[in-house]
């Protein structure tokens, strides 16, 4: 009987531990082992791979069109401001360095969930030029309500051509 209770308690503790790692989504080594090596490691995002700083912002997509790469982290989106041409499909790829964040383009129904250890991808077309606020719509900690970024949509003929390896954010127009 005692052994059964001990076994039950062990299972409960294990289940709780699993649940808590799922809820807080801190860096879990097991998560990466299960996910394979092609998933971005939240701890080394800035150091190597697709999401190094020089690769963030908008660039030319090798498959044609444009690609935007972003990182969400407590409590900023990097880059802080992105610029895209109007009326053109733009492929977004985003990951998180820590918790789950939700990038939402205010005034549209576009949104992207940023998950540590995974890349979220979606293609959006912003029909008209304008500015959109990008607040975080997933509670991610005490700084959540101040976490925001900005999107500038400019007419396509105002969007300067990009070199194949060039990346752009709002600051370097
Ligand atoms: Cu990031 Cu809420």
């Amino acid at each position: 009987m005692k052994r059964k209770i001990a076994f039950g308690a062990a299972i409960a503790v294990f289940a709780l531990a699993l649940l808590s790692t799922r809820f807080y989504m801190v860096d879990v080594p097991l998560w990466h082992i299960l996910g394979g090596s092609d998933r971005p490691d939240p701890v080394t995002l800035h150091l190597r791979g697709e999401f190094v700083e020089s690769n963030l912002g908008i660039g030319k997509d090798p498959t044609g069109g444009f690609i935007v790469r972003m990182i969400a982290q407590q409590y900023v989106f990097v880059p802080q401001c992105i610029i895209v041409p109007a009326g053109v499909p733009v492929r977004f790829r985003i990951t998180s360095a820590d918790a789950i964040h939700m990038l939402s383009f205010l005034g549209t129904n576009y949104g992207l969930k940023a998950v540590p250890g995974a890349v979220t991808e979606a293609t959006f077309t912003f029909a008209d030029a304008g500015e959109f606020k990008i607040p975080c719509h997933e509670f991610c900690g005490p700084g959540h309500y101040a976490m925001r970024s900005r999107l500038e949509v400019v007419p396509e003929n105002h969007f300067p051509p990009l070199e194949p390896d060039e990346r752009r954010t709002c600051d370097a127009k």
Side-chain angles (χ1 to χ4, degrees):
M1 186 62 186
K2 255 187 185 167
R3 203 178 273 177
K4 259 190 183 166
I5 291 169
F7 184 67
I11 294 279
V13 166
F14 181 68
L16 260 178
L18 260 184
L19 271 178
S20 58
T21 53
R22 286 303 297 271
F23 281 133
Y24 294 109
M25 295 300 286
V26 283
D27 181 39
V28 188
L30 186 67
W31 184 266
H32 300 299
I33 295 163
L34 292 174
S37 57
D38 58 325
R39 293 181 165 228
D41 184 344
V43 177
T44 57
L45 276 184
H46 309 275
L47 303 176
R48 58 173 177 263
E50 180 181 346
F51 292 93
V52 292
E53 197 174 341
S54 59
N55 209 25
L56 301 179
I58 189 165
K60 273 208 165 146
D61 193 344
T63 62
F66 291 97
I67 184 162
V68 168
R69 287 193 185 80
M70 293 180 86
I71 291 177
Q73 61 186 62
Q74 288 161 326
Y75 296 100
V76 287
F77 292 107
V78 186
Q80 276 281 281
C81 178
I82 46 178
I83 184 164
V84 303
V88 178
V90 179
R91 189 154 73 103
F92 284 80
R93 282 173 69 77
I94 188 167
T95 188
S96 169
D98 37 52
I100 294 181
H101 305 272
M102 176 80 190
L103 179 154
S104 57
F105 298 95
L106 222 63
T108 74
N109 53 8
Y110 296 160
L112 281 167
K113 203 160 213 175
V115 180
V119 179
T120 306
E121 184 176 310
T123 300
F124 301 133
T125 305
F126 295 89
D128 302 311
E131 267 200 44
F132 295 89
K133 289 190 172 105
I134 313 179
C136 179
H137 266 188
E138 174 92 29
F139 184 78
C140 52
H144 160 72
Y145 296 101
M147 182 168 172
R148 63 195 64 233
S149 183
R150 199 159 56 86
L151 170 73
E152 277 182 26
V153 184
V154 297
E156 196 186 353
N157 55 1
H158 288 194
F159 194 83
L162 281 168
E163 297 298 320
D165 289 325
E166 201 183 344
R167 305 282 179 267
R168 184 171 297 144
T169 61
C170 300
D171 325 314
K173 265 187 265 187

